[in-house]
Amino acid sequence: MLKVYSIFVDVLQLQISSKEDHSTQPVNLPPEIWHEIFQFATYVHSSASIKPLDPFSPRRAITNAMGTNSYSMSMRTKRSLVLVSRSWRQLSMPIFYEHIVIRSPSRAAKTLQVLEGSKRIMDPTMSHTESERLGYGQWTRHLEIHTYARGSKEIEFLKTIFRIMRCCPNLRFLSGIWIHQLPLEFLAVITQLYASSELFSGLYWNDLNPKDFTDAASSTFSTTSSPEFLASFQSLRILDLRHFVGGDPVHRDPSLSSPTLPHVQDLVLSTYPRSMQAATILNLPSLRNLTLRTPDWKTGHEPVLKEFLKRHGSSLLMIDLLSPSPDNEPDPDTTISRRTATHINPDIFVREDLCPNLDTFVYPITSPQMTSSSHPKLRRIGLRGVRSDGLYPDKPSGTKDHLMSITSERYSNLELVQTISFLVDSDGDSLSKDLFIWWTERFEADGIDFRDGEGVLWAYTEPAEQSKAQTTEVEPQVVEAKQNAEGLNPPKDVETTVITVADIVDSVSGP
């Protein structure tokens, strides 16, 4: 008996010592795994790319008390990572300098000092041009420039920006917000730096000055940028012109040919006429996706929109019509200001003579109801701003009218209707599941899937047969939606929530 007791004590002590060793010793993981953990913990989509998120990518209810990751919170995490140890610093530095934001001349000067000071000549035989590729700037993929601060108008600030750009030879995305007139020489040097770069794939150019550009419909205000300047970046895949002004198209020389951007697939515009007019001038043979922001829609803008669709509508496969709002408003689609603002009639986008190859169309549920529209190739419809109070089939609502108008008779190729950002499982209405299933069954009878913002197809399931003599109330349960290989799989660039590195390590290493 004593021998058994001693064996038990030895085993218990061994377990305790192993737990203590696990808590004190660092987890031994390959560097590649650590790098993936750091990237996930600091990921912000707007920092990683200027490409709009796919509206059909599954959304998740935020359960973290810290909420969705933001740029400031991500930078705070990055600063902590580079201070842990030498190995973590080596892995974190490329992530730390991946996205550089310049908000003032003083910040630009400090950034330039760090980038130039980090250059190291690893080989004495290396040429000066090759040595410029070294340093922290080689990891920069996104450069974002703001000119709201005092002194941003000075030529010295632009010289500093140019020197920063020279330190970032592998840049992929450039976001420039210019509220002052730019010299033509500055535009020329930007073209020299990135026009021949095959890595440079995304450009957001904002030269709209609110003081001078108060009325986008009648203003003759012009800037030094032009469609020819945009077309100098031949490797672009993503072009954001929502705040582009450029020269007045009325005074454009009619003998000039249309500049061509052969690889642009994603285009972001706004309902400002200058934005749509600049895109109309460009020749975009590879254009597939259009994201249209509507900060200020007026009926007088409709002819400009039609001209754009006549030029590029035949190549568009997806159109995402956002809810009306100020450009950078963070509020959701269900806010009062967005629901009561003037909307574009979505009928114009499903006309066969304007968008004959349209495959996916996303629009606000508060838009005017589509009446005479029909489209034989439309496969997916996304509805923004859906709320549970609009899903009651026995109550009049705009949501009900829109859903009732979507039938296989009007859209013979339609496969999916999805409520963008509306999550049934996190909705406060106790009847939201039953309401959603009612619409699911209605669309199912028409051969159409009806899914919520999480990409889930809701349906009733029979309970397990525990006792046939007892009657059990059928409860709505989640039936996971089958992933469609044609575009319903969630992309990698979905929004993530804030998560600590320790939480990820614990899940990887186990107890």
Side-chain angles (χ1 to χ4, degrees), residues 20 72 86 122 178 216 260 263 298 320 435 463 483:
E20 291 178 352
S72 59
R86 289 185 178 180
M122 308 300 295
W178 319 97
T260 301
H263 305 296
K298 300 177 182 178
D320 187 2
L435 294 172
Q483 297 297 331

Side-chain angles (χ1 to χ4, degrees), residues 381 383 406 414-419 443 448-451:
I381 291 180
L383 301 175
I406 301 175
L414 189 62
E415 299 176 2
L416 172 66
V417 176
Q418 184 166 332
T419 59
F443 280 107
I448 303 171
D449 285 345
F450 185 60
R451 304 183 185 182

